[in-house]
Amino acid sequence: MSPRRIVRSICFECHSRCGALIDVDNDRIVNVKGDKDHPFSKGFVCPKCRATKEIIYHPERLTNPAKRVGEKGKGKWVEISWDEAIGEIASKLLKIRDTNGAEAIVFGQGTTRGLPPYINRFLSLFGSPNFMGTQNLSGYPIMAGSIYTCGFSFMANADYGNSRCMLLWGQNPHSAWPGLFLNDIYDGLRKRAKLIVVDPRKTRIASRADIWLRIRPGTDDALALGMLNIVIENGLYDKDFVENWTVGFDKLKDHVKAFTPSKTAEITWLDPETIEKATVLYARSKPACIGAGMAGVCQNTNSFQLNRAITILSAITGNLEVKGGNLSYLSPLRHRACYGPDFDACKNLPSEQSGKRLGAREFPGVRFTLSPAESVWKAVLEEDPYPVKALLLFANNSMISFANSNAVREALSKIDFLVCVDYFRTPTTEMADMVLPAAHWTERDDIEDLMMKNHVFCQPKAVNPPANCWDEKKILIELARKMKLEGYWSSVEESLDYRLEPAGVTFEEFRKLGKISIPIAYRQYEKEGRFQTSSGKVELYSERLADLGLSPLPIYVEPPESPLNTPEVAKEYPLVLTTGGRSIAYLHSAHRNVPSLRKRFPDPSVEICPDTMKKEGLKKDDWVWVITPRGKMKSRVRPFEGLHPGVIHVYHGFWYSFDDGWKTVNDNILTDQMAHDPAVSSTQLRGLLCRIEKCNPTA
Ligand SMILES: Nc1nc2c(c(=O)[nH]1)N[C@H]1C(S)=C(S)[C@@H](COP(=O)(O)OP(=O)(O)OC[C@H]3O[C@@H](n4cnc5c(=O)[nH]c(N)nc54)[C@H](O)[C@@H]3O)O[C@H]1N2
Ligand SMILES: Nc1nc2c(c(=O)[nH]1)N[C@H]1C(S)=C(S)[C@@H](COP(=O)(O)OP(=O)(O)OC[C@H]3O[C@@H](n4cnc5c(=O)[nH]c(N)nc54)[C@H](O)[C@@H]3O)O[C@H]1N2
Ligand code: SF4
Ligand SMILES: [Mo]
């Protein structure tokens, strides 16, 4: 590699996919800056990306494979060679397959990390249908909600920049999507588009809104049905579209009648006039788009039906697949590049094996992509429907990420063989039998795409990783070689070329191109003469769902633990709790060990409205316990003006630098893994009950 050079790449610290210019001197990164020529981040990069040097040259970075000697969670770590690590994993997996069947082995990945092509293919050659992910908590309910309704993939793709009205539903672009959506949203605002925000918190974007709907956490489904009712009752729908392109309109009309503005207001803690005003504004603006929060509308036990209702709202107002509305960016290239040739680990498995996917029987909506973590824990703990013996986790901090950390710990304590691949030690790696060090995104070649914009990007390696940190793709390739899995790739280059095949370029050619843009197909259904659903229409009423035992019409389900559903619990836990809002400083549980980022957001935090603080005798920066029926989490008080006095919010993902942090400052000690969405298995993380108590920070 030449001494000083600028490498044009794509930041991978979160999912915005911002353009990054990496300044490299003699195989060391000296600086990272924004790329002004990038189509949507346009020169922006956030503090996480600017902290790249602190991350990759961090003294605590894992730099060698290691094996635990001694008890789980307490053992000593002994460094081993890659040869030994790969050899031992291969023999363990083969032995388990012989004894318990391939399905007893689960591979997992945290939030979108680019590995589905590799894990899917590995599992389909190895024979296991079980790929565990976090998607049931973000994205997947949206995807499934639109697939079952109109067959296209993503309600999250709002065309803000060309819209007359932007409805942000549980989405916080300043913290969660600054590079991906903010420029477009501001473009829309500059062109005088109207803005509606549905969020219990008055976020930065909510404070810019024409109408802010301060919803009670967990009741978005009722709001969506109420809005559908107003649209239908007032004839604000697109009559041609409804007549020609939908099925079940009359049934929907009758069904949503019960959700009058006053009933909807009662459930959601909004007022009826504001609901009507917002609905009329959205429905009369042409075109209008809905930007659904990837987590904001995905972490309830009724997320699937909520996302069906939102998709239906977009459809009957004539905003599907139109400029300024909600778009579909599917293409054969990104299908292959993102998911790989097999799309799904089950694709090439015999039906008797694919039918064993954990979760598929209970959650029909998960049938075609992943095994939810909760089904995996159940299999480990109760051997139901069969035992799971090994778990290989790539970029996933299960102990902090999934609901009810105590239950997760119990499962990880019981599992026979746990391997974690990470940059750093975490509460999850501490439960592992083996830990493998990964190369950072600046140290590996890759193809980047999130399917939320119409570009597929090249992410070239800028510097070499530390000698013993491996690209995860290489880990899987070497493991496949050792296990003699015929048909797996033999090199990273070969795999990248394969993923690019539909574009007719090799990765070496792609390096020079930097990106491939995909033409946007407006009203594809007109060209094809059908939507990709069973009926060819947008299914307001779905026979297919009825056949699966799910409600054929979108429904409202009160959160399992709430002032309305469990008033007796609410007596002891009177506040409504929502978890998980993002800070720009961190991605989930990562980055707390990065000094510049920790300075921006030093402590686990709970947001409380000033009136409630006064009532509870609390001051800014006081430490409190947030307590739910499942556990208590220590947090610092942040006054937050724009919150309902009956609602509090805890940020997600702390553990680092606190003794026993997974137990004391981690929000998932508060959450419950037992209640699920019956279609997609999302758990209730937004909308629980809690109380707060002052605490001694050193206690
Ligand atoms: N209560 C509550 N819980 C939630 C949420 C919430 O809102 N509230 N949100 C949920 C959502 S939407 C998600 S997606 C999950 C996220 O769940 P996870 O993806 O498990 O979360 P992270 O904390 O990002 O953990 C990823 C780990 O991967 C490491 N890492 C980062 N990049 C790489 C890489 O490229 N390779 C490797 N090998 N390791 C890497 C990091 O160091 C970190 O330890 O959390 C979920 N949990
Ligand atoms: N900096 C940073 N960026 C991230 C991440 C991160 O950890 N850090 N995580 C990435 C991932 S994996 C995901 S899934 C996305 C998530 O992206 P988003 O869903 O946009 O982000 P969140 O902040 O999780 O939630 C959005 C908003 O939902 C609101 N909210 C809470 N409860 C409810 C409710 O019941 N109803 C409604 N309508 N709103 C509610 C919160 O107040 C918050 O402002 O962010 C991605 N981007
Ligand atoms: S928002 Fe920040 S972390 Fe996310 S891709 Fe952009 S620069 Fe990277
Ligand atoms: Mo997520």
Side-chain angles (χ1 to χ4, degrees):
M1 291 191 187
S2 57
R4 183 93 190 216
R5 63 210 179 97
I6 299 287
V7 180
R8 167 166 278 140
S9 192
I10 295 297
C11 175
F12 197 60
E13 283 310 323
C14 87
H15 306 327
S16 268
R17 305 298 189 258
C18 298
L21 298 176
I22 307 175
D23 187 350
V24 177
D25 189 12
N26 239 331
D27 205 23
R28 266 187 89 85
I29 293 179
V30 285
N31 198 8
V32 183
K33 284 201 296 206
D35 177 0
K36 289 195 174 60
D37 296 326
H38 185 273
F40 47 83
S41 62
K42 297 180 180 163
F44 168 87
V45 281
C46 82
K48 296 189 285 307
C49 179
R50 291 200 298 271
T52 300
K53 269 196 315 176
E54 285 175 86
I55 297 167
I56 66 171
Y57 304 125
H58 199 291
E60 290 166 358
R61 180 153 176 208
L62 296 169
T63 50
N64 221 74
K67 193 170 142 175
R68 182 177 46 76
V69 185
E71 224 184 299
K72 265 198 191 216
K74 291 189 194 144
K76 262 181 50 194
W77 291 96
V78 179
E79 292 194 348
I80 53 172
S81 69
W82 273 104
D83 246 11
E84 196 181 339
I86 296 286
E88 186 167 332
I89 299 170
S91 70
K92 277 254 163 50
L93 299 192
L94 291 170
K95 202 164 155 212
I96 293 171
R97 183 170 70 175
D98 281 350
T99 323
N100 298 85
E103 66 277 11
I105 290 149
V106 177
F107 278 43
Q109 184 202 231
T111 183
T112 317
R113 285 285 164 209
L115 289 177
Y118 298 87
I119 294 181
N120 280 333
R121 183 170 258 207
F122 192 100
L123 289 178
S124 57
L125 294 171
F126 180 68
S128 171
N130 290 319
F131 182 5
M132 177 180 102
T134 57
Q135 291 86 336
N136 57 325
L137 303 173
S138 64
Y140 190 63
I142 304 180
M143 211 191 260
S146 44
I147 288 171
Y148 278 94
T149 307
C150 58
F152 91 172
S153 99
F154 236 177
M155 276 303 294
N157 296 340
D159 190 12
Y160 301 111
N162 295 306
S163 193
R164 301 302 312 139
C165 178
M166 305 176 282
L167 168 50
L168 264 64
W169 202 314
Q171 192 197 97
N172 183 2
H174 282 94
S175 304
W177 307 100
L180 188 72
F181 292 143
L182 265 189
N183 279 318
D184 283 357
I185 292 173
Y186 280 110
D187 247 8
L189 287 173
R190 264 190 297 277
K191 294 182 200 157
R192 298 183 185 283
K194 298 292 183 192
L195 176 66
I196 304 168
V197 174
V198 185
D199 197 309
R201 299 156 66 225
K202 194 168 191 178
T203 54
R204 245 171 102 184
I205 202 69
S207 63
R208 293 287 306 263
D210 295 276
I211 302 177
W212 168 44
L213 295 166
R214 186 180 66 176
I215 191 160
R216 171 164 67 97
T219 62
D220 301 79
D221 46 3
L223 176 63
L225 297 180
M227 291 177 78
L228 285 171
N229 183 41
I230 295 167
V231 167
I232 295 172
E233 286 298 309
N234 295 286
L236 296 173
Y237 53 93
D238 180 327
K239 297 184 180 71
D240 283 347
F241 184 87
V242 165
E243 196 168 308
N244 296 317
W245 292 106
T246 68
V247 290
F249 184 73
D250 291 337
K251 287 188 178 127
L252 178 74
K253 183 177 172 177
D254 288 345
H255 173 70
V256 297
K257 263 201 178 103
F259 290 84
T260 59
S262 61
K263 163 141 188 224
T264 307
E266 205 181 296
I267 299 170
T268 56
W269 293 355
L270 297 164
D271 73 79
E273 294 73 35
T274 316
I275 298 173
E276 286 194 271
K277 235 170 83 187
T279 309
V280 171
L281 179 60
Y282 168 77
R284 288 229 165 105
S285 308
K286 299 281 179 224
C289 63
I290 304 179
M294 291 283 276
V297 296
C298 293
Q299 299 180 347
N300 287 301
T301 50
N302 195 36
S303 305
F304 171 68
Q305 296 289 359
L306 162 62
N307 282 292
R308 247 179 65 71
I310 292 178
T311 310
I312 289 173
L313 188 61
S314 170
I316 67 171
T317 51
N319 286 306
L320 279 190
E321 296 190 26
V322 300
K323 195 170 179 174
N326 283 83
L327 299 174
S328 172
Y329 296 135
L330 290 179
S331 84
L333 166 63
R334 65 190 358 170
H335 201 270
R336 167 91 68 101
C338 288
Y339 290 101
D342 312 304
F343 182 58
D344 181 324
C346 284
K347 180 90 177 289
N348 300 323
L349 292 180
S351 63
E352 143 223 356
Q353 201 57 15
S354 62
K356 291 183 187 162
R357 166 165 289 167
L358 291 168
R361 218 165 304 142
E362 307 98 285
F363 311 109
V366 304
R367 187 161 292 173
F368 44 91
T369 55
L370 73 144
S371 304
E374 293 70 27
S375 303
V376 176
W377 309 149
K378 195 165 167 216
V380 175
L381 292 169
E382 297 167 28
E383 308 204 342
D384 177 15
Y386 50 77
V388 159
K389 297 287 180 190
L391 179 59
L392 270 74
L393 287 180
F394 294 81
N396 171 238
N397 193 356
S398 288
M399 287 276 296
I400 306 298
S401 310
F402 294 113
N404 195 344
S405 306
N406 278 308
V408 178
R409 190 176 156 95
E410 216 186 312
L412 297 186
S413 306
K414 189 176 169 206
I415 202 155
D416 284 3
F417 188 54
L418 174 65
V419 179
C420 290
V421 188
D422 209 303
Y423 300 152
F424 294 104
R425 287 172 68 166
T426 69
T428 310
T429 65
E430 291 316 283
M431 301 301 292
D433 297 275
M434 200 184 279
V435 175
L436 306 175
H440 187 254
W441 62 266
T442 54
E443 301 164 342
R444 59 194 193 215
D445 283 327
D446 222 323
I447 303 163
E448 280 314 327
D449 182 16
L450 196 60
M451 308 219 283
M452 288 167 74
K453 286 277 180 179
N454 60 323
H455 310 281
V456 179
F457 295 103
C458 181
Q459 187 189 63
K461 171 171 162 179
V463 288
N464 281 304
N468 278 334
C469 291
W470 275 18
D471 181 340
E472 288 136 307
K473 303 191 279 297
K474 177 172 164 181
I475 299 177
L476 284 158
I477 288 167
E478 292 307 322
L479 191 58
R481 199 191 315 274
K482 190 84 190 173
M483 292 166 73
K484 302 195 169 49
L485 286 191
E486 294 247 340
Y488 206 67
W489 297 288
S490 58
S491 68
V492 171
E493 297 71 41
E494 188 196 346
S495 71
L496 294 170
D497 288 348
Y498 190 91
R499 288 165 64 193
L500 287 167
E501 238 172 44
V505 294
T506 61
F507 190 78
E508 282 313 311
E509 289 159 343
F510 191 41
R511 258 189 227 282
K512 292 180 203 113
L513 294 173
K515 69 169 187 305
I516 295 171
S517 301
I518 291 158
I520 301 174
Y522 298 111
R523 291 202 166 95
Q524 188 66 15
Y525 59 88
E526 281 182 348
K527 288 169 211 128
E528 288 172 9
R530 67 187 324 269
F531 278 94
Q532 299 306 315
T533 55
S534 328
S535 61
K537 303 272 173 88
V538 175
E539 304 196 340
L540 312 181
Y541 181 97
S542 163
E543 299 282 358
R544 198 169 152 215
L545 289 175
D547 289 346
L548 290 170
L550 296 165
S551 170
L553 288 161
I555 47 170
Y556 147 69
V557 177
E558 180 62 21
E561 184 181 275
S562 83
L564 296 193
N565 213 6
T566 52
E568 67 297 349
V569 181
K571 276 191 202 137
E572 203 183 331
Y573 302 92
L575 294 166
V576 173
L577 167 70
T578 189
T579 74
R582 275 73 169 132
S583 147
I584 198 161
Y586 304 129
L587 187 78
H588 301 285
S589 71
H591 304 125
R592 303 304 186 286
N593 57 351
V594 177
S596 68
L597 299 176
R598 188 64 180 271
K599 214 165 135 198
R600 294 180 79 96
F601 198 117
D603 295 306
S605 300
V606 53
E607 289 171 342
I608 311 180
C609 107
D611 286 348
T612 309
M613 280 174 57
K614 214 162 138 195
K615 210 173 113 202
E616 303 274 345
L618 296 170
K619 296 187 307 298
K620 178 173 179 291
D621 287 337
D622 275 352
W623 284 90
V624 292
W625 288 112
V626 177
I627 309 171
T628 69
R630 290 153 296 280
K632 57 185 197 172
M633 168 203 177
K634 211 179 331 184
S635 251
R636 267 190 125 158
V637 174
R638 288 184 169 212
F640 197 91
E641 283 287 348
L643 254 180
H644 191 285
V647 175
I648 70 167
H649 162 240
V650 293
Y651 280 87
H652 170 53
F654 254 89
W655 59 273
Y656 182 83
S657 84
F658 292 83
D659 281 346
D660 261 348
W662 75 271
K663 275 197 224 164
T664 46
V665 293
N666 152 30
D667 54 336
N668 277 318
I669 217 74
L670 304 173
T671 55
D672 188 3
Q673 93 287 11
M674 291 314 287
H676 295 107
D677 181 297
V680 291
S681 177
S682 42
T683 46
Q684 190 77 28
L685 306 177
R686 316 232 165 181
L688 299 152
L689 289 174
C690 73
R691 65 187 158 88
I692 40 180
E693 252 174 38
K694 250 191 179 169
C695 86
N696 174 353
T698 54

